[in-house]
Amino acid sequence: MRLPQARLDQVLDRFHEVEARMGSATDGAEIVRLSKEHAELKPVVDAVQGLARARAEMADLETMTADPEMAAMAEEELRALTDRLPDLEREVALLLAPRDADENASAVLEVRAGTGGDEAALFAGDLFRMYSRYASTRGWRIELDSATEGDAGGYKEIIATVTGEGVFGRLKFESGVHRVQRVPTTESQGRIHTSAATVAVLPEVEDVEIEIHDKDIRIDTFRASGSGGQHVNTTDSAVRITHLPTGIMVTSSEKSQHVNRDKAMKNLRVRLYDMQRQAKDLARSDSRKSQVGSGDRSERIRTYNYPQGRVSDHRINLTLHSLPQIMEGDIDPLLNALIAEDQAARLADLEAEFD
């Protein structure tokens, strides 16, 4: 892709403008905003400047090829630089392409049992374990928000906050229906059953991003159910918040009512923000052929077939015969393929913009 010089100059001009304003700004909020924009622009500017240096070096080498004494060396270096230039241009193009504003955000991970009864709850537990192990390998922290265990194990529903750099950017394509085909432990005749669980990955948002008015919420307290013994909740400390305009309901059932209110409000903001994101994703997917990133969470995205030891992602027609490793948290091969597909779609959008 040949990037228009005017577009590259625009990025450099904006970066220098931000730097100049940072040096003179006195308002705290403006300094924070400028610092954030500066941090976002810096890698783009570094890549643009690296590309400019490479192009300038190519021009110098082409001139040197006319010198008999320098021609052989210049031609060798020119070939090497010519081979490297497309990678530099692609790097700049990806940084310039429209990107998710929440790419680097932490995320709220929700896994719910779908069709399949006890087996679906067991599979939901397997999925949550898979994501937990993956988070551990990347140094992310997982904090459990709420969980409802299945009668035979696993979870009917489990919600957790995953904190770290770039969590949402790597996990966002996991949202959707995950299907499992295997012989349940309760099946005496060895028949394969099909069950499902749904996954939702929502970007965690700051308080300032979503405004919630007191008149729009109803807060109820109730006694949370516990596992008995020392863990039973004997006070009305659990909190349920209902957002009246949308009907969204969130709960938290830790021992402290104050903690529960804070957690429930955080989760409400996440869900309201996600409603806005889904509307934008739907509008964007209407004009994009790729299903990756469409935001449709009712879509069956993946099948885990235990008898054949394979995992198939239906959005990109990818099948991997490494199910045991994937269930142990080695999901990078899947995520990398999905991210590459999304990058290709974003580059296509950018190319159409330049045409």
Side-chain angles (χ1 to χ4, degrees):
M1 181 187 298
R2 186 68 181 180
L3 300 167
Q5 189 58 46
R7 182 71 176 89
L8 304 182
D9 291 341
Q10 184 182 25
V11 173
L12 296 173
D13 290 344
R14 178 57 184 169
F15 183 72
H16 294 141
E17 180 186 350
V18 169
E19 280 197 324
R21 289 174 61 184
M22 284 177 65
S24 59
T26 55
D27 178 70
E30 184 183 12
I31 292 172
V32 170
R33 181 178 60 79
L34 290 171
S35 298
K36 183 178 180 181
E37 186 176 359
H38 185 275
E40 291 173 351
L41 284 172
K42 185 66 166 64
V44 188
V45 168
D46 288 345
V48 168
Q49 291 176 337
L51 177 60
R53 287 192 296 270
R55 287 176 173 174
E57 187 179 349
M58 283 188 71
D60 291 340
L61 290 169
E62 286 170 353
T63 302
M64 291 170 61
T65 57
D67 183 341
E69 295 184 1
M70 306 289 291
M73 181 189 71
E75 287 173 359
E76 183 180 348
E77 292 185 10
L78 187 58
R79 281 194 296 271
L81 192 54
T82 301
D83 291 341
R84 193 161 60 91
L85 195 64
D87 291 336
L88 295 175
E89 291 177 336
R90 187 176 188 278
E91 179 186 356
V92 172
L94 279 173
L95 290 167
L96 289 176
R99 63 191 297 269
D100 198 321
D102 301 307
E103 199 81 13
N104 292 321
S106 296
V108 173
L109 170 67
E110 303 179 349
V111 184
R112 292 183 173 87
T115 55
D118 288 342
E119 172 63 10
L122 289 169
F123 179 51
D126 292 340
L127 286 177
F128 184 76
R129 177 177 175 273
M130 177 183 78
Y131 293 125
S132 298
R133 291 194 166 229
Y134 180 68
S136 178
T137 65
R138 298 193 71 88
W140 297 339
R141 182 169 59 87
I142 289 190
E143 180 183 358
L144 191 64
D145 292 334
S146 66
T148 303
E149 295 182 358
D151 295 335
Y155 298 100
K156 294 179 180 177
E157 174 187 275
I158 184 164
I159 302 172
T161 299
V162 187
T163 305
E165 183 70 18
V167 173
F168 183 71
R170 288 206 68 79
L171 293 184
K172 63 181 178 179
F173 300 125
E174 292 301 288
S175 292
V177 178
H178 295 240
R179 185 178 68 169
V180 63
Q181 296 171 329
R182 64 185 179 187
V183 178
T185 55
T186 55
E187 171 59 59
S188 58
Q189 298 183 29
R191 291 175 296 189
I192 297 173
H193 287 226
T194 298
S195 306
T198 60
V199 174
V201 181
L202 321 177
E204 192 175 31
V205 294
E206 298 175 5
D207 292 356
V208 294
E209 295 182 43
I210 294 292
E211 187 176 4
I212 300 174
H213 300 287
D214 289 342
K215 63 181 178 62
D216 290 337
I217 60 175
R218 184 179 72 241
I219 301 177
D220 300 307
T221 58
F222 59 97
R223 183 168 299 176
S225 59
S227 55
Q230 62 180 342
H231 301 294
V232 71
N233 192 331
T234 57
T235 62
D236 293 339
S237 64
V239 170
R240 178 190 298 114
I241 299 179
T242 305
H243 187 249
L244 302 176
T246 61
I248 293 175
M249 185 183 299
V250 293
T251 61
S252 183
S253 52
E254 300 291 331
K255 293 183 179 179
S256 164
Q257 189 174 124
H258 177 71
V259 169
N260 286 332
R261 182 188 170 98
D262 288 346
K263 277 193 171 186
M265 285 299 292
K266 182 202 76 171
N267 286 335
L268 178 58
R269 288 189 182 92
V270 167
R271 279 154 185 74
L272 290 173
Y273 182 66
D274 187 59
M275 283 184 65
Q276 296 178 7
R277 281 186 55 88
Q278 284 194 63
K280 292 178 183 177
D281 287 344
L282 181 61
R284 187 164 58 245
S285 66
D286 285 343
S287 60
R288 179 186 287 185
K289 293 180 181 178
S290 172
Q291 292 184 39
V292 176
S294 68
D296 185 358
R297 290 181 192 146
S298 63
E299 187 81 31
R300 189 194 71 195
I301 64 169
R302 196 174 293 152
T303 296
Y304 303 74
N305 185 296
Y306 274 71
Q308 298 179 19
R310 61 175 169 83
V311 176
S312 299
D313 195 290
H314 308 296
R315 294 163 295 180
I316 55 176
N317 296 319
L318 173 67
T319 294
L320 300 175
H321 294 274
S322 54
L323 185 144
Q325 295 92 325
I326 287 171
M327 297 310 296
E328 287 298 317
D330 183 16
I331 59 175
D332 268 334
L334 288 165
L335 300 185
N336 290 341
L338 289 162
I339 290 169
E341 181 76 12
D342 183 62
Q343 287 177 343
R346 290 194 291 120
L347 285 175
D349 290 345
L350 185 66
E351 198 163 11
E353 178 188 328
F354 291 155
D355 286 344

